[in-house]
Structure formats: C-alpha cells, structure tokens
Amino acid sequence: MRAVIILTLLAVLMMAATCYESHESMESHEYLNPFINRRRANDFIQADSRLEAITQERIRERSKAPHERQREICEDYYPCELYAFRHGYAAAYRHYFGRRRTK
C-alpha cells in the first residue's frame, strides 16, 4: 500500500513537471502577430533567381532595338526572308517595307 501511494505521488509530480506550460514557447513574436514587415521577410526568404531572369527577359522584349524589330517583321513575311538570304535583312526590309510609313 505504501508503494502505491509513493508511485501515485511520483506520477502526479511527473505529470505536473511535464505538463507545466512555460512562457518560453511564447517568446516568439510570431505568436502574438503572425505577420511581419517586408524587410524582415526578405531576410529569410530569398527571391527566386529564375523569376528575376524571366522578368528581365520580358523587359528586354519590350525594348527591342529597331533593327531587331525590322528583322522579325521581315522573317514573318516569306518573300522578304528569301530576299534577305541573298541581300541581307536591312536591304530586304527596305525593299519590302521601306516605302511604308510607320507610326
């Protein structure tokens, strides 16, 4: 009987020791406010470099050089492309599209 009382007392003490809620788990500020500002977010979440490369490519596509645009226009028109193989893209563009006014 004495052993049962001692074991019960030990069990109660063990339960009290393991179930005690310390405030250490609440030290994190995220518990109080789950949102953080952008500067702190950038500290541990790095932007994907592939997304940055795609963005830069889209910017480059918007700002193409005039001769590159002319070459693409000429490549889309088959007779102009054939002429370009023989005389060059600049001459082919002037031959087929040079007379037109571009706005």
Side-chain angles (χ1 to χ4, degrees):
M1 182 79 166
R2 187 173 168 191
V4 173
I5 294 173
I6 292 174
L7 286 176
T8 306
L9 213 66
L10 283 174
V12 169
L13 287 174
M14 220 149 139
M15 185 179 68
T18 57
C19 293
Y20 171 73
E21 183 176 341
S22 69
H23 293 285
E24 292 174 1
S25 63
M26 298 174 82
E27 284 179 0
S28 174
H29 297 289
E30 290 144 8
Y31 179 79
L32 301 173
N33 185 5
F35 302 104
I36 57 177
N37 64 18
R38 291 179 185 174
R39 289 183 185 159
R40 284 203 51 219
N42 288 335
D43 289 344
F44 62 91
I45 297 177
Q46 297 297 324
D48 191 4
S49 59
R50 289 176 291 153
L51 293 176
E52 187 177 328
I54 290 170
T55 305
Q56 291 297 325
E57 182 63 28
R58 287 184 181 157
I59 290 170
R60 274 187 238 114
E61 284 177 3
R62 289 184 195 151
S63 59
K64 289 183 181 179
H67 66 276
E68 188 175 353
R69 279 195 213 111
Q70 291 174 357
R71 181 179 178 135
E72 288 178 356
I73 291 169
C74 191
E75 285 175 348
D76 290 339
Y77 185 58
Y78 187 69
C80 182
E81 189 175 19
L82 290 178
Y83 193 89
F85 286 143
R86 197 169 267 209
H87 303 286
Y89 280 100
Y93 184 84
R94 277 193 309 272
H95 180 76
Y96 284 98
F97 304 104
R99 294 181 210 117
R100 295 182 184 178
R101 281 198 121 129
T102 56
K103 293 182 182 180

